[in-house]
Amino acid sequence: MNTAKLTIFFDGGCPLCKREVDFLQSRNQKGYLSFIDINTSDFYLDLKYGITYKQAMERIHALKSDGSVIKDIKVFQEAYTLIGLGWIYAPTKLPIFDKFIEFIYGIWAKYRLKLTFRPSIEKLCTEKGCKLS
């Protein structure tokens, strides 16, 4: 029986993303989180979930058990709540601070590939055979 309440789409080629997922998996005793590495060659996000590979590589996405898709800092807020550490991300929901955190996450998302010495999104998409638009 699948008890996952949140399925997180992550970039398994990103060392920092992988470290975060490893931490979340280590705290996932109730099985509320599941994970899908978007770099697996047989996985087509757009066909199954309506999220393109490019979109998933640009910003983190997750699928809630009700079928809704969330992204960016909301993924971390939800994931940490589900593993019993919601207090860590609670301040990111405060007015003004939430906008600042979203801004910081946006910068990270924009430069993540460069900062982790990875190919550009265009090159990754070309290798994957996906659309850039």
Side-chain angles (χ1 to χ4, degrees):
M1 179 170 92
N2 185 0
T3 58
K5 295 183 178 193
L6 189 69
T7 301
I8 299 172
F9 306 110
F10 74 99
D11 175 8
C14 170
L16 296 174
C17 304
K18 184 72 174 102
R19 177 180 270 173
E20 181 72 14
V21 166
D22 288 346
F23 172 75
L24 290 170
Q25 285 177 323
S26 75
R27 300 294 301 234
N28 190 28
Q29 282 81 21
K30 294 182 180 177
Y32 290 159
L33 304 177
S34 66
F35 303 88
I36 296 176
D37 182 350
I38 60 176
N39 281 310
T40 57
S41 60
D42 61 343
F43 189 74
Y44 296 95
L45 294 165
D46 53 342
L47 298 176
K48 196 167 182 181
Y49 302 103
I51 304 164
T52 66
Y53 174 78
K54 183 176 185 283
Q55 288 171 327
M57 285 297 288
E58 289 174 335
R59 302 182 95 78
I60 192 165
H61 288 70
L63 180 71
K64 295 176 74 171
S65 58
D66 66 4
S68 61
V69 174
I70 58 174
K71 63 182 181 175
D72 300 341
I73 207 72
K74 287 179 178 50
V75 173
F76 300 103
Q77 291 168 341
E78 185 77 16
Y80 275 73
T81 297
L82 289 170
I83 63 168
L85 297 174
W87 59 269
I88 292 173
Y89 274 87
T92 66
K93 297 177 183 179
L94 298 172
I96 299 173
F97 193 59
D98 62 339
K99 302 293 183 222
F100 175 72
I101 294 298
E102 284 290 342
F103 174 76
I104 296 298
Y105 176 80
I107 292 171
W108 160 250
K110 182 176 181 177
Y111 296 105
R112 176 180 69 85
L113 293 172
K114 203 174 270 190
L115 290 169
T116 57
F117 305 104
R118 309 266 313 287
S120 69
I121 189 76
E122 293 80 15
K123 185 169 181 3
L124 290 170
C125 280
T126 300
E127 290 171 359
K128 192 95 166 139
C130 63
K131 299 174 194 167
L132 288 173
S133 55

